[in-house]
Amino acid sequence: MATQTRAKSRESQNTTNKEENERTCGKCDGGFDKEDKAVLCDICGFWYHLTCANVDPDLYSAIQRFGHNGSGDLPWRCRVCKTFAAQMFSEMMNMKQNQMKIEKSMNEIKEKVNNNERDIREIRMERQGNREEMETITQGAAAEIQDKFIQEIREIKDRIDSMETQPAVGKISEDIQKEINEAVQREKRKNRIVINGLTAAEDTYEEVWGKVEQLLQKFTIPPSDIVQVARLNDRRYVSVELHRNETKAKLLKRSKELKETTQYTNVYIRADLTYAQRMEGKQLREEMRKRLNSGETNLKIIRGKLVKVLDSTGPPQDTSTQQSGQPRFRGETA
């Protein structure tokens, strides 16, 4: 920018004081004698002493012959104008490159516009063809759609008529909800046992917990296996939740050993069963009692089934006769 300003100021000075500038050195501002040799800058129009412009005699001779005094094929520029010209050339090259980029972008845009116009024409032609095709299809399909609609109405009416002989939807939903609730309750109780006869009604919660721990230690079950202890509505019963189902099975299997002790003779341990499970167990016990009275032997209830143990080595066989009317969920070991 400073170079451009200086060049403009020199050009202005050259215009307003042309005669003086022609005889004033552009570098030292000194005058020229008739015998002084000088060169003229083709851009700024200032004269320069050869020594101020660092022009040697050979170059001066060439400028005199081919420069502004000669054919004009050999221009000469001062140092300031050379720098300015280089900057201008660089800027012009950048402008040319930018122009080429713009032209390239414009060509790409034109190509996209042409493609879009071609696509639009194709879409219009396609829509026109579809419209004609739809008119043909609609005339033939209207009757088919109407027939299909009438058929669907008839099917719906038939289903409504058939529902009169089926259970009410509300009743079915209620039964499903009961089954879901039963499954949830069984899942909650799968690791629980119920102890009867261990505690007194006036025992505190801490006393109940201590008695439970003392009882389970008899079966080598550490207190860490206990999740929680809770008293039921009937305060004679205590619900105990264990961490593992294996621990529960161990307790139920060895619970008969309590009768052989003095301290726990009247204490009973059973699985925490739902009402449906208790009813299942009751039905199995009644069936076993009837069959024993009829002369059958070696009957046992194992895992919710009435089985017949053939001998000490053979596997038990399922002999339950309950098929219809049996609850959906089988109960635990009674």
Side-chain angles (χ1 to χ4, degrees), residues 197-208:
L198 179 63
T199 61
E202 63 274 9
D203 286 346
T204 63
Y205 179 76
E206 289 76 13
E207 291 173 339
V208 172

Side-chain angles (χ1 to χ4, degrees), residues 101-112:
K101 292 180 180 178
I102 292 173
E103 291 177 353
K104 182 179 179 181
S105 300
M106 289 297 295
N107 292 333
E108 293 177 353
I109 293 173
K110 289 180 180 179
E111 183 177 358
K112 290 181 179 179

Side-chain angles (χ1 to χ4, degrees), residues 171-275:
K171 181 63 169 57
I172 296 175
S173 300
E174 182 180 348
D175 293 341
I176 294 175
Q177 187 62 46
K178 287 182 179 179
E179 292 180 3
I180 294 175
N181 293 339
E182 176 67 19
V184 171
Q185 288 299 321
R186 293 192 183 197
E187 180 65 22
K188 288 182 178 180
R189 299 168 186 241
K190 69 177 183 179
N191 292 340
R192 292 180 184 175
I193 60 172
V194 175
I195 304 175
N196 179 24
L198 179 63
T199 61
E202 63 274 9
D203 286 346
T204 63
Y205 179 76
E206 289 76 13
E207 291 173 339
V208 172
W209 191 288
K211 289 182 179 181
V212 171
E213 288 183 351
Q214 185 177 1
L215 173 64
L216 297 188
Q217 285 178 357
K218 180 174 180 59
F219 299 101
T220 64
I221 297 175
S224 59
D225 282 359
I226 302 174
V227 177
Q228 69 174 18
V229 176
R231 304 191 77 161
L232 304 180
N233 293 334
D234 188 339
R235 297 177 66 84
R236 296 173 301 171
Y237 295 89
V238 178
S239 173
V240 180
E241 183 176 358
L242 304 167
H243 278 291
R244 298 180 302 163
N245 190 260
E246 293 81 359
T247 305
K248 171 185 174 179
K250 176 181 177 181
L251 275 172
L252 294 176
K253 184 176 181 180
R254 298 183 56 188
S255 61
K256 295 180 179 179
E257 298 177 7
L258 296 177
K259 294 183 178 180
E260 301 174 0
T261 66
T262 303
Q263 183 179 2
Y264 301 111
T265 303
N266 297 321
V267 175
Y268 300 93
I269 300 176
R270 63 175 177 82
D272 189 359
L273 304 177
T274 65
Y275 176 79

Side-chain angles (χ1 to χ4, degrees), residues 4 84-103:
Q4 297 178 9
F84 173 70
Q87 292 177 352
M88 288 297 297
F89 178 78
S90 177
E91 292 178 2
M92 290 177 63
M93 291 299 296
N94 291 335
M95 291 176 63
K96 185 175 182 179
Q97 292 178 358
N98 292 334
Q99 182 180 0
M100 294 174 63
K101 292 180 180 178
I102 292 173
E103 291 177 353

Side-chain angles (χ1 to χ4, degrees), residues 120-134:
I120 291 173
R121 288 195 298 269
E122 293 177 356
I123 291 173
R124 287 177 177 173
M125 294 175 63
E126 183 178 356
R127 289 181 61 185
Q128 181 64 27
N130 290 340
R131 187 181 297 109
E132 296 174 355
E133 183 179 357
M134 284 299 297

